[in-house]
Amino acid sequence: MARPSTAQALKKTLDRILSRAGVGSRTEARKWVAEGRVAVNGKTIRSADAWADPARDRITFDGKPLQAKRKIYLLLYKPAGYLTTYKDPQGRPTVYDLLKDVDEWIFPAGRLDQDTSGLLLMTNDTQFGDFVTSPESHVPKTYLVKASTVLTEDQLQQLREGVELADSPTRPAQVTRVRDSAKCTFFEITITEGRNRQVRRMVEALGAKTLKLVRTRIGLVGIGDLQIGKWRELSAAEVKALSPRQRILRQV
Ligand code: URA
């Protein structure tokens, strides 16, 4: 379906409207629309690509009007071994197993690999999620890395300046050596992109492997002394610091 003209700019597709209202994921919403559970101004609509204006049109789900849901912003300390997906066909644990006492539907604002632990933001605010994850936002993300070899200063400098990955070179990063053991280097890196397995691929580009990866910070929001596997709500100031137009985020 064609995108709406400027005059229709406030309109959104039905799957997006349902997901923004916190009813469920866009995939679920598409299924529900196709099942005829959604009506616009009293008329059942079966195409999730149909456009509607949530401010003007009366949109119902199972006959009940959509209500603006309370916005939720959670910080979860994801342990390694958990997937950042809703369900896993192989039955592996997912982050939702750690959020069983949260009734509302929430989604991760950016993913972490199964083997990565650390700060994961979960929300029902799609605008917030889009901002935190969009490559254009350049929201800095900080990781602690245990590399499989002792890295030279030259190798750390390569990470700072950008290394060549299969897709394209990485943007400049902040890199600080934390300490070396006999066989490994522990370092902190802050990147302003969010490419798939980016930190692991950057370390691989140096000829080493990532033995441990922990995300400690997104923008100004840190994991603090939260226990692994636990979650807390973000404060209003933290939500604001991760919202559009907070230039203070641009640390790198
Ligand atoms: N970079 C990675 O390689 N993995 C993550 O989970 C996050 C960033």
Side-chain angles (χ1 to χ4, degrees):
M1 185 170 286
R3 291 190 64 80
S5 66
T6 317
Q8 293 176 299
L10 295 175
K11 294 196 169 191
K12 298 182 175 64
T13 54
L14 277 182
D15 56 344
R16 186 166 272 266
I17 293 172
L18 265 83
S19 92
R20 286 208 170 179
V23 177
S25 68
R26 283 182 77 178
T27 311
E28 287 169 321
R30 295 187 75 80
K31 186 168 136 282
W32 294 329
V33 175
E35 287 168 358
R37 295 173 66 181
V38 177
V40 179
N41 301 324
K43 187 166 175 255
T44 299
I45 306 286
R46 288 180 186 269
S47 165
D49 295 322
W51 294 86
D53 180 347
R56 287 162 181 258
D57 294 319
R58 188 169 178 278
I59 302 162
T60 55
F61 176 57
D62 285 345
K64 297 194 197 93
L66 292 187
Q67 285 172 355
K69 288 263 175 6
R70 178 179 83 95
K71 296 271 201 294
I72 305 162
Y73 308 91
L74 304 183
L75 185 168
L76 171 70
Y77 190 162
K78 174 194 169 307
Y82 282 74
L83 297 172
T84 319
T85 49
Y86 183 55
K87 274 199 180 121
D88 178 44
Q90 296 172 43
R92 290 170 294 182
T94 81
V95 292
Y96 290 91
D97 295 325
L98 303 167
L99 295 158
K100 285 199 170 123
D101 39 352
V102 180
D103 293 331
E104 292 92 344
W105 176 78
I106 48 176
F107 61 88
R111 289 173 179 270
L112 287 177
D113 301 334
Q114 185 183 4
D115 295 339
T116 305
S117 59
L119 193 167
L120 186 69
L121 296 174
M122 304 285 301
T123 184
N124 60 356
D125 182 343
T126 42
Q127 212 182 354
F128 174 90
D130 289 349
F131 178 72
V132 171
T133 53
S134 163
E136 284 87 46
S137 312
H138 299 313
V139 175
K141 289 156 189 135
T142 302
Y143 299 84
L144 265 176
V145 188
K146 179 182 180 185
S148 61
T149 60
V150 175
L151 300 176
T152 63
E153 207 31 54
D154 181 54
Q155 286 175 305
L156 294 185
Q157 190 58 25
Q158 286 179 45
L159 293 179
R160 288 184 192 108
E161 288 172 9
V163 291
E164 200 63 50
L165 298 184
D167 26 10
S168 59
T170 56
R171 285 169 54 86
Q174 280 181 351
V175 179
T176 311
R177 187 189 301 275
V178 176
R179 68 183 172 90
D180 291 338
S181 68
K183 292 190 179 161
C184 306
T185 289
F186 296 78
F187 69 93
E188 188 183 78
I189 183 166
T190 301
I191 55 174
T192 55
E193 305 165 279
R195 295 201 237 162
N196 191 26
R197 296 180 74 82
Q198 180 169 340
V199 175
R200 290 175 197 276
R201 290 193 290 143
M202 289 173 80
V203 174
E204 274 164 28
L206 303 177
K209 286 203 171 65
T210 297
L211 299 183
K212 192 166 179 191
L213 185 58
V214 186
R215 182 153 69 195
T216 55
R217 183 166 285 280
I218 296 184
L220 297 177
V221 176
I223 206 154
D225 54 11
L226 189 66
Q227 284 184 353
I228 194 153
K230 302 285 182 204
W231 60 269
R232 68 168 175 85
E233 290 207 33
L234 292 190
S235 67
E238 287 174 323
V239 174
K240 195 167 172 215
L242 282 174
S243 298
R245 286 192 285 279
Q246 296 299 312
R247 304 179 120 241
I248 196 164
L249 283 170
R250 296 169 191 266
Q251 294 175 329
V252 177

